[in-house]
Amino acid sequence: MRAAFDAPAAWSAGMAYATNEAAGARTEDDAPAASAPPQHYRAVFISDLHLGTPGCQAHALLDFLRHHSSDYLYLVGDIVDGWQLRRKWFWPQAHNDVVQKLLRRARKGCRVVFVPGNHDEFARAFVDHSFGGIEVVEDAVHLTADGRRLWITHGDYFDGVIQCAKWLAYVGDNLYEFTLRLNRHLNTLRARLGLPYWSLSAYLKGKVKKALNYVTDFEVAVATEARRRGHQGVVCGHIHRAEMREIDGILYCNDGDWVESHTALVEHVDGRLELLQWPVRRVATGAGKAVALPVQA
């Protein structure tokens, strides 16, 4: 147990590991991919990794990164979960490998941009700095190949609970962690019975009308701010719900999370945007039409 979370510690650990790799050490991440051939995109957007928590699906994320390279990689907040690490230190090797992989991307010429969220708000003290080639910014603007300006923000500034009752957000975070632990045990049993994966948190939120209203209000608020700033679209995270659709003429994109849904937003070389769920299926494609994943958190 650590009394306080040392903000740069996780990144420093990853940097040290990356240095060893650069010196010639072979790691699991160097192993050749055994499944689908790699794909290269103009840009990849991922958020809500929650490194430092048992719920983080680090191995799935590493597999995704091995198969999907890009010219730009946007880390759209909640990459490291400082809230959980303050309560209990949890940092397995796979989480170190994720940091190493991100640093390696930056070192090999990919522009890696980190927009901190509420769970890694400690990083906002380092805005306009660079760590191992990873740029830390308050928010960003991405110009697609077909000329659209996308505003990149985590989205927590549009969450009334975070802004007005942060104590309630901490309570909700603990309840969500409990739900994830219960969900892991439940799906272990389902797997033994030959049943597919099922999300308890998605089911519970799908049954709560207020949760769905919260999601809709959040999406509209983010899209409205993007319009006010003069952009054609917005990419965010925060609510763990992958979706791509138009809201009053603004392209709203949420890249989902790497706790349950394993989703990312990608831009093809022609500017076409697509939501991917790894390794299952493509979720949505095109300039605005989309099929949303269930609410995950």
Side-chain angles (χ1 to χ4, degrees):
M1 175 75 71
R2 297 193 177 188
F5 176 50
D6 180 14
W11 291 108
S12 299
M15 288 181 184
Y17 199 74
T19 301
N20 292 336
E21 185 274 332
R26 182 177 176 85
T27 70
E28 179 187 0
D29 189 49
D30 294 313
S35 53
Q39 299 285 330
H40 184 80
Y41 296 99
R42 188 168 183 269
V44 171
F45 307 81
I46 55 175
S47 73
D48 298 274
L49 315 186
H50 291 277
L51 295 169
T53 70
C56 172
Q57 300 297 310
H59 291 291
L61 175 60
L62 284 168
D63 191 52
F64 174 83
L65 291 173
R66 291 187 193 108
H67 287 80
H68 301 83
S69 61
S70 59
D71 300 325
Y72 300 87
L73 175 60
Y74 290 93
L75 309 175
V76 194
D78 286 0
I79 304 305
V80 175
D81 197 321
W83 290 10
Q84 290 293 329
L85 287 172
R86 287 189 189 100
R87 290 193 286 266
K88 182 178 181 181
W89 187 258
F90 180 83
W91 197 263
Q93 183 60 50
H95 295 205
N96 221 31
D97 292 343
V98 170
V99 176
Q100 173 206 2
K101 185 69 172 176
L102 298 175
L103 290 164
R104 184 187 301 166
R105 283 287 173 88
R107 190 174 66 247
K108 290 189 174 181
C110 175
R111 185 182 178 189
V112 183
V113 179
F114 173 30
V115 178
N118 52 300
H119 282 261
D120 46 23
E121 59 190 351
F122 64 83
R124 288 172 175 160
F126 303 99
V127 163
D128 297 329
H129 289 73
S130 177
F131 292 91
I134 297 177
E135 306 169 34
V136 184
V137 299
E138 184 72 23
D139 56 8
V141 175
H142 176 74
L143 185 65
T144 63
D146 55 7
R148 288 175 289 174
R149 289 169 56 87
L150 303 179
W151 180 43
I152 317 299
T153 181
H154 179 63
D156 57 297
Y157 290 132
F158 301 90
D159 185 336
V161 174
I162 296 294
Q163 298 304 315
C164 303
K166 198 168 185 177
W167 66 270
L168 186 58
Y170 284 120
V171 172
D173 186 56
N174 285 326
L175 290 174
Y176 181 54
E177 284 296 319
F178 171 76
T179 303
L180 288 178
R181 287 197 299 272
L182 182 61
N183 198 58
R184 285 195 292 272
H185 293 303
L186 177 62
N187 277 287
T188 297
L189 177 60
R190 287 177 62 87
R192 290 175 180 173
L193 297 175
L195 298 173
Y197 179 85
W198 179 74
S199 173
L200 175 62
S201 65
Y203 173 79
L204 293 175
K205 282 204 168 184
K207 293 296 183 181
V208 180
K209 183 177 180 180
K210 286 186 178 180
L212 297 178
N213 289 339
Y214 160 79
V215 168
T216 301
D217 292 344
F218 171 86
E219 295 171 344
V220 171
V222 174
T224 299
E225 180 62 15
R227 181 190 302 105
R228 189 189 70 81
R229 291 171 178 247
H231 304 307
Q232 287 75 52
V234 59
V235 178
C236 63
H238 187 58
I239 60 172
H240 295 205
R241 179 186 173 93
E243 186 169 7
M244 184 167 60
R245 66 187 179 96
E246 283 196 3
I247 301 177
D248 295 331
I250 298 297
L251 178 60
Y252 168 85
C253 303
N254 193 305
D255 56 27
D257 70 281
W258 287 87
V259 176
E260 291 188 84
S261 63
H262 301 184
T263 52
L265 177 72
V266 299
E267 180 197 358
H268 293 264
V269 293
D270 60 359
R272 179 169 51 93
L273 297 170
E274 180 177 24
L275 275 175
L276 303 179
Q277 185 181 48
W278 185 255
V280 181
R281 67 186 188 278
R282 284 171 165 75
V283 181
T285 62
K289 296 181 179 179
V291 177
L293 288 176
V295 178
Q296 298 287 354

